[in-house]
Amino acid sequence: MMGRQIAQVFAQHGHEVEGTDEDQQALKTGIDEIANGPYGVNASLSKGKLTPEQAGRALASIKTSSKLDDACRNSDLVIEAAFEDLQLKQNLFQRIESAAPSSAIIASNTSTLSLDKISQKISKRDRALGMHFFNPAQLTKLVEIIRGPATSNETVERGSRIVREIGKTPVVAQDEPGFIANRLGLTLYMEASKLLEDRVASLQDIDTCMKLGYNHPMGPFELADFVGLDTRLRNIESLYKATNDSKWIPPKLLREMVQQGYLGDPARKKASKGGYYEFQQIKR
Ligand SMILES: NC(=O)c1ccc[n+]([C@@H]2O[C@H](COP(=O)([O-])OP(=O)(O)OC[C@H]3O[C@@H](n4cnc5c(N)ncnc54)[C@H](O)[C@@H]3O)[C@@H](O)[C@H]2O)c1
């Protein structure tokens, strides 16, 4: 989900992009979403946000390769956006380091994992950075830049400059669990889940509160469905692992939904049976 969104943003700002995934189907659906998805290039074209030339150029500048080495070979910047799993990301960082030019920045889009740990096994750690985009990256203006203990000032500055060049605002956070945005956003979600579990209010009313009372564009459950419930569960599990703080024990309901294949909005997660609102229907 995030890889394709980030690829599109860079392509629309004049960069050559190589997308890679171990799953061939993900590459195919990724390219299709970039062209025809709800925030894709063709949607921007029909809204007049891109000219036909810009749209054509953006689509032509994204290539895909199933081989990570080929995709990274000529890169100035590699952004890893694989599953939220520490060992997987550590391995990918090692593979990226051996494939990419030594001048390339190696970034992770991790939401919750420690950049220090992700970059532990590479040799030039000064060029490792967190670049945390928000969903949908085509629309959201924020990118958190995560500075690990080994990240150089030059890497932070280069990363921040790139973020500005693609029309977004960087904020810099230290490498602490949840950084800034997820520590705040997931705290809201955990409290919303407690309200639901304690039967203080209904799903709809909790979402409505945050939309009408605080002008949030989506309620906490709508946002979780939008993000993907499997991703949300992995993020909370990883915060719990990192902090050992019981406030991050994943809600039972979330785990149950993911186990039963309710992974969030089916328009965004193709294999999903639905999200909170659909699950509520079958539970009645
Ligand atoms: N979903 C969100 O809203 C969101 C927002 C910000 C950041 N993030 C972060 O972005 C990252 C990706 O999240 P997502 O929701 O896009 O996940 P996703 O499940 O949609 O995509 C992950 C992709 O990683 C691929 N992958 C797994 N192992 C691989 C390997 N060894 N080599 C190559 N590809 C591999 C999978 O095939 C899959 O296509 C996570 O770190 C997540 O925390 C997610």
Side-chain angles (χ1 to χ4, degrees):
M1 188 187 284
M2 295 307 293
R4 62 189 64 158
Q5 296 177 8
I6 296 167
Q8 183 187 335
V9 169
F10 275 87
Q12 285 182 189
H13 284 82
H15 295 278
E16 296 289 324
V17 182
E18 289 262 1
T20 183
D21 198 298
E22 63 169 9
D23 176 359
Q24 291 278 355
Q25 190 54 39
L27 286 177
K28 283 203 193 96
T29 51
I31 290 293
D32 184 54
E33 282 273 315
I34 288 171
N36 305 313
Y39 310 108
V41 169
N42 290 329
S44 299
L45 178 64
S46 59
K47 284 181 199 143
K49 291 182 183 165
L50 290 177
T51 65
E53 292 72 34
Q54 287 169 327
R57 222 177 301 132
L59 291 176
S61 58
I62 305 176
K63 313 249 176 328
T64 60
S65 168
S66 56
K67 294 209 173 86
L68 182 138
D69 292 9
D70 291 343
C72 297
R73 189 151 295 131
N74 297 312
S75 304
D76 299 312
L77 166 67
V78 182
I79 303 178
E80 167 283 311
F83 299 140
E84 191 77 332
D85 178 289
L86 179 61
Q87 217 178 2
L88 169 69
K89 287 182 191 286
Q90 284 177 334
N91 291 340
L92 285 173
F93 259 49
Q94 283 181 302
R95 288 173 59 196
I96 293 165
E97 178 169 57
S98 56
S102 61
S103 56
I105 292 182
I106 306 180
S108 173
N109 187 48
T110 183
S111 307
T112 51
L113 295 171
S114 151
L115 181 77
D116 190 38
K117 290 197 179 132
I118 293 175
S119 63
Q120 220 160 45
K121 296 185 174 170
I122 66 169
S123 50
K124 274 191 78 206
R125 301 179 71 202
D126 60 312
R127 60 170 169 152
L129 190 72
M131 267 177 130
H132 183 210
F133 286 77
F134 290 77
N135 191 354
Q138 300 96 326
L139 304 189
T140 51
K141 294 282 177 222
L142 182 69
V143 178
E144 279 181 318
I145 296 280
I146 315 307
R147 174 201 281 275
T151 309
S152 69
N153 287 339
E154 191 207 333
T155 302
V156 171
E157 276 156 28
R158 265 176 78 200
S160 302
R161 203 176 325 121
I162 292 168
V163 167
R164 282 190 208 96
E165 268 170 30
I166 57 168
K168 307 212 178 283
T169 301
V171 292
V172 180
Q174 299 297 329
D175 193 18
E176 284 296 318
F179 315 128
I180 309 171
N182 271 342
R183 188 149 147 193
L184 294 173
L186 292 178
T187 298
L188 172 64
Y189 170 76
M190 294 301 282
E191 279 305 318
S193 297
K194 277 203 194 93
L195 287 172
L196 191 65
E197 200 178 307
D198 296 346
R199 299 175 187 272
V200 175
S202 68
L203 194 60
Q204 284 82 350
D205 285 355
I206 298 169
D207 272 344
T208 301
C209 260
M210 295 317 293
K211 287 191 286 186
L212 301 189
Y214 278 75
N215 271 357
H216 287 194
M218 283 181 243
F221 299 112
E222 289 169 332
L223 180 61
D225 284 342
F226 185 83
V227 163
L229 298 181
D230 49 344
T231 301
R232 175 56 55 105
L233 177 60
R234 276 195 208 105
N235 287 346
I236 295 169
E237 280 173 339
S238 112
L239 276 182
Y240 181 44
K241 221 169 156 183
T243 59
N244 217 11
D245 184 336
S246 61
K247 87 175 207 190
W248 296 118
I249 293 176
K252 271 199 210 105
L253 179 61
L254 175 64
R255 202 180 281 289
E256 191 183 341
M257 288 169 72
V258 172
Q259 269 162 0
Q260 293 192 31
Y262 286 79
L263 307 179
D265 183 356
R268 300 171 59 75
K269 283 260 171 192
K270 296 286 183 241
S272 173
K273 290 185 189 168
Y276 273 94
Y277 287 85
E278 289 76 15
F279 195 72
Q280 175 180 252
Q281 294 295 328
I282 66 148
K283 280 289 196 180
R284 272 193 181 144

